[in-house]
Amino acid sequence: MIDPRVKMNPSRVREGLRLAMRVGLPPEAGLRPRFWLPSGRGVSAGVADGEGVPLDPSVDHRAESGRYVDGVLCALEYTERPGVQLDWTQVLPSVVTVTVLDEEYRRIKGFTHVLIGGEKFKLRNENMPLGLGAIGVHQFVVVAEDDG
């Protein structure tokens, strides 16, 4: 039973969570998550598919513009098909749950995909926000690009 007289110190809890996230990320910067934050789609008119490409080839279309956000502290949980090494190749995990605290969430809100270990994972959904006292916790489910 939790003693109601014990007060949670949000800054100490946040510090501990951030340390755990830092320890859990790959030591090589090139393998750490990079979140794609689009600045807008380039479709000028007409009906487009789910990727924003116009169905009518005569409609002007430019590639999506944006930027990658690096250095985001997060926790990664491989929730389906863990990666395995076969004799001829590495089979990567297909679904990852990404957890960030409220400070990091503000930096990546609106991202469309994330590179994890250099592999592209598209945003499937954002779970309902959670709370840990005064700390906001956000989770995203991302799916490997090849798994759709």
Side-chain angles (χ1 to χ4, degrees):
M1 175 111 185
I2 298 175
D3 185 343
R5 295 171 294 173
V6 175
K7 301 293 182 198
M8 182 181 95
N9 181 336
S11 62
R12 300 242 0 233
V13 171
R14 186 181 302 277
E15 178 183 315
L17 292 171
R18 292 176 63 83
L19 174 63
M21 289 178 179
R22 233 183 337 274
V23 168
L25 290 175
E28 301 87 9
L31 298 177
R32 294 182 194 141
R34 303 182 72 212
F35 294 83
W36 178 257
L37 199 57
S39 59
R41 295 213 179 255
V43 178
S44 60
V47 179
D49 66 11
E51 298 293 319
V53 177
L55 299 177
D56 180 352
S58 66
V59 172
D60 180 32
H61 174 71
R62 293 163 295 172
E64 179 179 57
S65 61
R67 63 184 174 86
Y68 278 105
V69 178
D70 295 321
V72 175
L73 285 179
C74 59
L76 304 174
E77 178 184 359
Y78 300 94
T79 56
E80 290 182 20
R81 196 185 78 197
V84 294
Q85 180 70 43
L86 301 177
D87 289 340
W88 64 92
T89 189
Q90 167 97 18
V91 177
L92 297 170
S94 61
V95 178
V96 179
T97 300
V98 180
T99 303
V100 298
L101 301 180
D102 45 15
E103 296 167 331
E104 301 294 333
Y105 175 74
R106 288 190 281 277
R107 295 180 56 207
I108 63 169
K109 184 178 178 180
F111 80 92
T112 58
H113 72 268
V114 58
L115 297 180
I116 301 173
E119 299 295 323
K120 185 175 181 180
F121 288 78
K122 296 188 319 187
L123 178 63
R124 178 185 282 171
N125 69 288
E126 179 178 347
N127 294 341
M128 294 297 290
L130 304 169
L132 186 58
I135 302 168
V137 179
H138 298 267
Q139 292 185 311
F140 305 92
V141 177
V142 296
V143 62
E145 181 176 47
D146 295 340
D147 285 358

